[in-house]
């Protein structure tokens, strides 16, 4: 896709009050507008560390309508297409008008990824750093993990359980963060989102054909050398979608987030508990998702028995940043030509049998 400007499209095509659908699945993302009368907001819910701001941007771009949050930070109140929330987590807030919200869009992320991401946010906040700028050093993670991991794991479970209890399956869309950010499944998820939001008769999202382009613009965009920073879209610049470009936070620093065997076992036990609840209710989407996370953890997570007593003293943020930049200059340690094995390939190797993977019901599940 080539870059498009308002002048190159023509006034007639720009009158649509949202992201513009261009020929052959193209798009032109325009600033969102006020919600039309009679709109019924939905929850855009997620545990912290699961792409809430990215989801906010994507919903606005797909629908062309402003979104809000449970703190009413932009002042739009109920006149929004969705309300971003982390509730019932402590970093969320229960609305006094929540009974007026009849549907929910729920993003779920593997807790072994979501909880460390939340800790990175806390580290940045406590050290007055820009959001999505620097990962906490491993020693800080281990100290925090040994005090807070079990508590946050229960918060993660409480979050998904709340939306399972609060909304029936026909009133919610559950999307794995991993699928939302994947260059393979992300464009398809965006089309599923279009169908979900179009259930409100006053909401007219962009066409399903152009939804993947909007996904490429918002989740996976690149403007020159400026990659997606998870910040609100710059309203002074128009972007045209072009993908695939790998998504990713701009955080620097070591990605290692070790867990002890006891913590790994605890995560699997919690996932099993949610899976049993989903099975008893006949909710295959969540059942398959919990099993997928269990499989990934068993295939990819190696126990680490280090404790807070085994790690060096904390570093200052400046020292952490300097080390991260030095590592970035040195490049990855992966041998040249080597490729990181996927969870599916690892499991297939363990079983000695090839496995075909397909997308179904909003989650990636084993087909063989």
């Amino acid at each position: 896709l080539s870059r498009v400007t308002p002048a190159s499209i023509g006034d007639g095509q720009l009158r649509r009050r949202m992201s513009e659908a261009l020929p052959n699945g193209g798009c032109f993302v325009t600033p969102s507008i006020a919600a039309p009368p009679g709109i019924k907001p939905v929850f855009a819910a997620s545990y912290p560390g699961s792409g809430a701001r990215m989801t906010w941007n994507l919903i606005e771009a797909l629908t062309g309508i402003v979104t809000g949050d449970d703190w009413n930070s932009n002042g739009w109140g109920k006149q929004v297409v969705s309300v971003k929330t982390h509730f019932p987590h402590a970093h969320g807030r229960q609305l006094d008008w929540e009974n007026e919200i009849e549907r929910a869009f729920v993003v779920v992320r593997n807790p072994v990824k979501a909880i460390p991401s939340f800790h990175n946010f806390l580290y940045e906040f406590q050290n007055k750093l820009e959001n999505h700028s620097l990962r906490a050093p491993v020693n800080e993670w281990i100290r925090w993990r040994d005090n807070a991991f079990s508590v946050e794991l229960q918060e993660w479970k409480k979050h998904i359980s709340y939306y399972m209890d609060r909304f029936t399956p026909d009133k919610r869309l559950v999307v794995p963060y991993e699928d939302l950010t994947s260059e393979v499944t992300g464009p398809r998820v965006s089309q599923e989102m279009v169908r979900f939001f179009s259930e409100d008769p006053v909401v007219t999202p962009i066409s399903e054909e152009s939804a993947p382009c909007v996904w490429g613009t918002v989740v996976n965009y690149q403007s020159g050398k400026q990659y997606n920073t998870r910040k609100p879209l710059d309203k002074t610049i128009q972007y045209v979608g072009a993908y695939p470009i790998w998504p990713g936070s701009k955080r620097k620093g070591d990605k290692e987030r070790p867990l002890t065997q006891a913590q790994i076992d605890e995560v699997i036990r919690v996932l099993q508990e949610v899976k049993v609840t989903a099975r008893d209710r006949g909710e295959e989407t969540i059942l398959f998702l919990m099993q997928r996370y269990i499989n990934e953890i068993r295939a990819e997570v190696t126990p680490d028995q280090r404790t807070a007593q085994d790690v060096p003293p904390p570093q200052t943020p400046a020292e952490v940043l300097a080390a991260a930049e030095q590592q970035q200059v040195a490049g990855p340690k992966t041998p040249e030509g080597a490729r990181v094995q996927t969870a599916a390939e690892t499991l297939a190797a363990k079983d000695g049998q090839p496995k075909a993977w397909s997308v179904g019901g909003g989650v990636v599940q084993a087909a063989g």
Side-chain angles (χ1 to χ4, degrees):
L1 295 173
S2 59
R3 181 165 295 280
V4 181
T5 65
S8 67
I9 297 175
D11 292 340
Q13 290 172 282
L14 279 175
R15 285 175 188 160
R16 193 161 190 242
R17 298 184 305 161
M18 56 180 297
S19 298
E20 301 294 329
L22 303 178
N24 302 315
C27 67
F28 185 78
V29 176
T30 57
S32 55
I33 62 169
I39 196 166
K40 294 183 177 180
V42 305
F43 276 129
S46 61
Y47 172 88
S50 304
R53 171 57 70 175
M54 174 189 67
T55 303
W56 169 309
N57 288 339
L58 182 57
I59 292 172
E60 282 199 350
L62 289 172
T63 65
I65 301 172
V66 293
T67 59
D69 61 30
D70 47 11
W71 298 95
N72 194 25
S73 59
N74 62 5
W76 283 101
K78 302 179 184 180
Q79 299 304 307
V80 293
V81 68
S82 66
V83 178
K84 177 177 74 71
T85 183
H86 296 311
F87 185 82
H89 191 276
H91 278 242
R93 173 175 172 264
Q94 188 169 22
L95 299 177
D96 55 11
W97 54 278
E98 75 158 25
N99 289 336
E100 298 178 36
I101 298 182
E102 301 174 355
R103 299 191 302 143
F105 172 73
V106 186
V107 178
V108 181
R109 188 178 189 183
N110 192 323
V112 300
K113 300 292 186 179
I115 295 173
S117 180
F118 175 49
H119 174 245
N120 286 331
F121 162 77
L122 293 176
Y123 177 79
E124 291 166 336
F125 179 79
Q126 291 163 357
N127 288 282
K128 298 180 174 58
L129 300 172
E130 184 180 355
N131 194 15
H132 282 278
S133 62
L134 186 64
R135 296 182 187 90
V138 177
N139 52 17
E140 292 280 1
W141 158 251
I142 291 176
R143 287 185 173 85
W144 182 86
R145 173 203 76 182
D146 289 348
N147 289 318
F149 186 82
S150 294
V151 173
E152 285 303 320
L153 182 59
Q154 289 303 315
E155 288 292 314
W156 182 93
K157 178 187 176 184
K158 183 168 71 174
H159 189 275
I160 188 171
S161 298
Y162 176 82
Y163 290 95
M164 289 175 67
D165 294 339
R166 172 75 168 75
F167 299 94
T168 56
D170 62 315
K171 296 294 185 181
R172 58 172 142 81
L173 176 63
V174 177
V175 170
Y177 170 91
E178 296 80 6
D179 289 357
L180 181 61
T181 57
S182 163
E183 65 174 356
V184 176
T185 55
R188 296 180 227 173
V189 170
S190 69
Q191 293 175 319
E192 195 170 358
M193 292 173 65
V194 163
R195 292 191 289 272
F196 177 77
F197 283 97
S198 66
E199 291 178 19
D200 186 329
V202 304
V203 177
T204 307
I206 202 164
S207 68
E208 286 190 37
E209 182 186 24
S210 290
C213 173
V214 174
W215 176 88
T217 304
V218 177
V219 178
N220 232 14
Y221 79 80
Q222 179 185 17
S223 174
K225 294 185 179 180
Q226 281 296 113
Y227 288 87
N228 186 359
T229 61
R230 302 293 197 264
K231 293 180 181 179
L233 290 178
D234 187 342
K235 301 301 184 182
T236 66
I237 301 175
Q238 310 294 337
Y239 300 98
V240 63
Y243 69 90
I245 303 165
W246 281 103
S249 168
K250 288 284 287 182
R251 279 189 176 122
K252 298 178 180 180
D254 197 337
K255 293 182 179 180
E256 182 189 12
R257 290 297 176 264
L259 296 173
T260 66
Q261 184 63 60
Q263 289 163 341
I264 294 171
D265 293 342
E266 185 180 8
V267 174
I268 292 176
R269 183 170 63 254
V270 165
L271 294 172
Q272 291 281 16
E273 291 168 358
V274 177
K275 178 183 169 184
V276 168
T277 301
R279 182 199 64 198
D280 293 345
R281 297 182 180 185
E283 297 201 30
E284 291 191 354
T285 296
I286 294 177
L287 185 153
F288 283 129
L289 180 57
M290 295 303 105
Q291 187 59 54
R292 167 183 169 181
Y293 287 161
I294 291 170
N295 292 345
E296 290 175 351
I297 291 167
R298 286 175 172 165
E300 299 174 356
V301 181
T302 302
D304 186 309
Q305 298 304 326
R306 283 177 290 175
T307 66
Q309 288 72 35
D310 301 323
V311 296
Q315 296 173 286
T316 66
E319 292 170 333
V320 176
L321 180 60
E325 291 176 342
Q326 185 176 7
Q327 184 181 28
Q328 193 173 34
V329 171
K333 297 179 182 179
T334 307
E336 185 177 356
R339 185 174 65 84
V340 177
Q341 194 175 43
T342 65
E345 292 167 336
T346 305
L347 288 169
K350 283 189 175 183
D351 295 343
Q353 298 178 356
K355 290 188 181 293
W357 291 75
S358 63
V359 176
V363 298
V364 178
Q365 51 188 278

